Amino acid sequence: MTVDSAKSELVVGGIGARIIAFALDIVFLGIVANIGVGVGALINGSTSGEGGVIFTALGIVIGAYLIALIVTLGLAGWTPGLIILGLRVVREDTLMRAGIGRALGRGILLLPIFFWPWLVILLVTAVRDKSGRHQGLHDSLSRTMVLNVRHGLDPR
């Protein structure tokens, strides 16, 4: 098989790569959160005290980061973690960009990920997906799928 023929087929993103990409996004979120705390501390003059300014700055920075994730996922099909691993989120019906609405829905379904039973539900639905696309509940309900564009066709 030549490199060109390998790139002519769609390759679904594996569960392991998707988990690593999500973990990377969480690490990036932690970095952004620390920047927010630092900015708030600079504005407040210290890290002690009421912390209202610190938490406000933290909220603004995290909110801006999450909005940026939704926009880049909807318009380009990636988050930092996805792009590092060569994955792209697309609509399952047209293989085009997911769009802001689907990206937002997908993101809302991922929000309770820190509640471990929800994490188990998402993992079980991805592992037991009969379509072979490893779609978790968040992908099924938002009608998106994750492709490995490093090893297969990038339909953008």
Side-chain angles (χ1 to χ4, degrees):
M1 178 181 292
T2 67
V3 173
D4 292 334
S5 65
K7 288 284 198 169
S8 67
E9 297 178 0
L10 292 176
V11 176
V12 175
I15 293 173
R18 295 176 67 177
I19 291 171
I20 293 169
F22 186 74
L24 286 171
D25 287 335
I26 296 298
V27 167
F28 292 133
L29 179 61
I31 292 168
V32 167
N34 281 311
I35 291 170
V37 168
V39 168
L42 285 173
I43 293 169
N44 195 38
S46 74
T47 57
S48 62
E50 292 179 17
V53 172
I54 293 172
F55 287 118
T56 300
L58 177 63
I60 290 170
V61 170
I62 288 177
Y65 180 74
L66 292 175
I67 290 169
L69 284 180
I70 297 297
V71 170
T72 58
L73 187 67
L75 298 181
W78 58 264
T79 63
L82 290 171
I83 202 165
I84 288 169
L85 290 170
L87 303 174
R88 182 178 303 279
V89 174
V90 296
R91 290 174 56 139
E92 68 180 7
D93 55 350
T94 64
L95 301 179
M96 300 301 289
R97 295 178 298 231
I100 300 294
R102 289 175 198 253
L104 180 61
R106 192 175 188 275
I108 288 170
L109 289 167
L110 284 173
L111 274 179
I113 198 86
F114 298 108
F115 180 60
W116 71 266
W118 186 248
L119 174 63
V120 171
I121 290 169
L122 293 178
L123 287 173
V124 167
T125 55
V127 169
R128 297 182 53 91
D129 179 31
K130 294 187 187 335
S131 73
R133 292 184 241 163
H134 309 299
Q135 287 179 299
L137 185 61
H138 59 296
D139 284 316
S140 296
L141 292 176
S142 64
R143 297 186 321 260
T144 59
M145 61 187 286
V146 179
L147 298 177
N148 184 327
V149 297
R150 188 171 291 155
H151 295 112
L153 181 68
D154 186 352
R156 63 177 166 153

